[in-house]
Amino acid sequence: MSYPIPNTLNLPANAQAGGLATSIEDVRRLREMADDLGLPFRAIGAGSNIVPEYEVAEFVAVMKNRGVKTNVKQGVPHVDVAAGENWHDLVTYCASKGLHGLENLALIPGTVGAAPIQNIGAYGVEISDFIESVTVCDEHGLKQILSQSDCGFSYRESTFKTQPELVVVSVQLALSREFNPRLDYPDVLAEFDRSVGDANALVTAITSIRQRKLPDPAIVPNVGSFFKNPVVTVSIASRLREKFKNLVAYEVQGGIKLSAAQLIDHAGWKDRPTDKVGCWQQQPLVLVNLGGATTEDVIAYATAIQQEVLALYGVQLELEPSLLS
Ligand code: EPU
């Protein structure tokens, strides 16, 4: 038995077994099948943030449940969204209904259920800013509601990354009736002359920024940023400033956050594709499958980048997507 694992890097990859889940009952049923087969169970969405090996010794459930419910609690608009819904469709739906907050997260590929796992973020906004709770199906098939603080959110991290046994079945978001656009990122500011207009205009602007900078996974297979932006000590950052006149560096909790894209660019990786894997020209943090790449090819390329960035700058780059083995 084998089950092809959908993934936007277009890697040939199969789980030992798998199935589609259109409801929490399906999740329970599939988990029982996995238990009967003695396989670890994992749910995925559209495969836009995973790097699966050629053979994955797991049972993989692809979440396909649908549904968006809106309600108001103590004057605050909420949406309760099934894991299998498309993330970008949710962003445009909310903007069109006057439910605000998610605009800067437009065009992030993938499903709603996958969004909290890596705590998706862009242009100064993270999904964790809006999460009220996440409904999961636990390893015993029981429904549990995790509050925002139970989810262990930080930059591109959550408790779900290390607990694949918790299957996200729906996400509850607390949004706003007021449109308070977050425009402080230079790329975003540059899109507007004087005023931003309405939420739909901001969604359109973010969409065009991303379309200019990032490859469409449907055309050039990729999983977005392949590495996290590293956080280093003040002394490492100062040392690096001597090498880079224009080092991109932001003070964050725990140190100085650098731009992985800048380090990779500076090391010359944009000009060093293999015949199968390369860095995207407009955003070298994104590794692309140039045709026929296997997981080994992608990992070998990523490892070579990590080793060189470490040797040149003393900075360890961590992988951003989840590896499935
Ligand atoms: N840069 C270069 N060379 C390039 C491109 C960029 O040196 O060819 C440098 C520039 O100095 C630029 C800096 O990289 O100022 C940052 O680039 P960008 O604004 O594109 O942001 P990023 O830090 O590289 C992060 C997220 C993206 C998100 C953008 C916008 C991570 C790992 N990535 O990228 O998220 O869209 O910010 O907020 O945090 C993703 O997670 O898949 C993703 C695309």
Side-chain angles (χ1 to χ4, degrees), residues 4-323:
I5 303 176
N7 68 91
T8 62
L9 253 171
N10 224 1
L11 302 170
N14 290 283
Q16 279 195 20
L20 302 181
T22 58
S23 62
I24 191 166
E25 291 75 29
D26 279 354
V27 174
R28 292 184 182 120
R29 183 178 55 78
L30 292 173
R31 196 191 291 272
E32 276 172 25
M33 285 170 65
D35 288 347
D36 289 346
L37 293 166
L39 292 172
F41 184 81
R42 176 193 298 269
I44 64 168
S48 57
N49 204 47
I50 56 169
V51 181
E53 283 190 354
Y54 182 63
E55 280 180 0
V56 175
E58 292 184 345
F59 189 106
V60 168
V62 182
M63 296 302 290
K64 293 282 184 188
N65 56 333
R66 305 297 299 268
V68 181
K69 285 179 249 163
T70 52
N71 58 70
V72 178
K73 286 187 217 161
Q74 292 162 341
V76 179
H78 283 67
V79 284
D80 181 354
V81 194
E85 291 287 342
N86 175 273
W87 174 260
H88 177 70
D89 290 349
L90 176 69
V91 173
T92 52
Y93 171 82
C94 289
S96 71
K97 296 281 176 201
L99 303 169
H100 299 305
L102 306 180
E103 297 83 5
N104 289 24
L105 303 179
L107 211 66
I108 294 182
T111 58
V112 169
I117 298 180
Q118 59 155 161
N119 185 18
I120 57 168
Y123 310 107
V125 174
E126 290 182 337
I127 188 180
S128 56
D129 302 338
F130 304 97
I131 286 199
E132 175 157 281
S133 55
V134 176
T135 302
V136 299
C137 180
D138 73 11
E139 63 271 42
H140 309 295
L142 298 174
K143 185 167 147 177
Q144 278 192 41
I145 298 177
L146 273 62
S147 69
Q148 207 270 3
S149 58
D150 294 333
C151 297
F153 288 123
S154 59
Y155 167 63
R156 292 298 193 274
E157 280 296 338
S158 76
T159 190
F160 307 111
K161 262 200 172 172
T162 50
Q163 287 183 277
E165 66 277 13
L166 294 180
V167 174
V168 175
V169 288
S170 61
V171 177
Q172 293 74 49
L173 301 169
L175 301 174
S176 172
R177 280 275 170 217
E178 275 168 44
F179 179 47
N180 294 315
R182 177 89 201 255
L183 304 174
D184 47 336
Y185 268 54
D187 278 356
V188 182
L189 265 184
E191 285 292 302
F192 302 103
D193 274 348
R194 268 191 221 121
S195 78
V196 56
D198 63 7
N200 297 314
L202 181 52
V203 167
T204 304
I206 298 286
T207 301
S208 58
I209 295 169
R210 292 186 73 97
Q211 282 171 335
R212 281 200 303 271
K213 274 201 154 181
L214 298 167
D216 177 350
I219 300 167
V220 183
N222 74 88
V223 284
S225 303
F226 208 85
F227 304 101
K228 294 184 199 172
N229 283 328
V231 176
V232 299
T233 60
V234 173
S235 69
I236 291 181
S238 320
R239 193 158 44 74
L240 281 173
R241 262 200 198 93
E242 292 160 21
K243 291 197 186 194
F244 291 85
K245 276 187 225 103
N246 56 346
L247 185 76
V248 178
Y250 310 90
E251 225 172 283
V252 293
Q253 219 186 355
I256 307 288
K257 192 186 257 189
L258 304 176
S259 158
Q262 188 180 40
L263 301 179
I264 295 168
D265 192 357
H266 204 260
W269 281 92
K270 277 193 199 173
D271 305 322
R272 285 156 66 189
T274 69
D275 55 342
K276 292 182 178 157
V277 189
C279 290
W280 188 243
Q281 284 299 315
Q282 287 76 23
Q283 176 43 292
L285 193 48
V286 178
L287 302 192
V288 293
N289 180 348
L290 297 169
T294 62
T295 310
E296 276 181 13
D297 297 325
V298 174
I299 295 297
Y301 194 80
T303 306
I305 292 177
Q306 283 173 312
Q307 286 172 347
E308 194 167 299
V309 166
L310 183 63
L312 287 174
Y313 312 121
V315 176
Q316 180 69 52
L317 294 181
E318 265 180 54
L319 291 201
E320 201 269 344
S322 302
L323 291 180

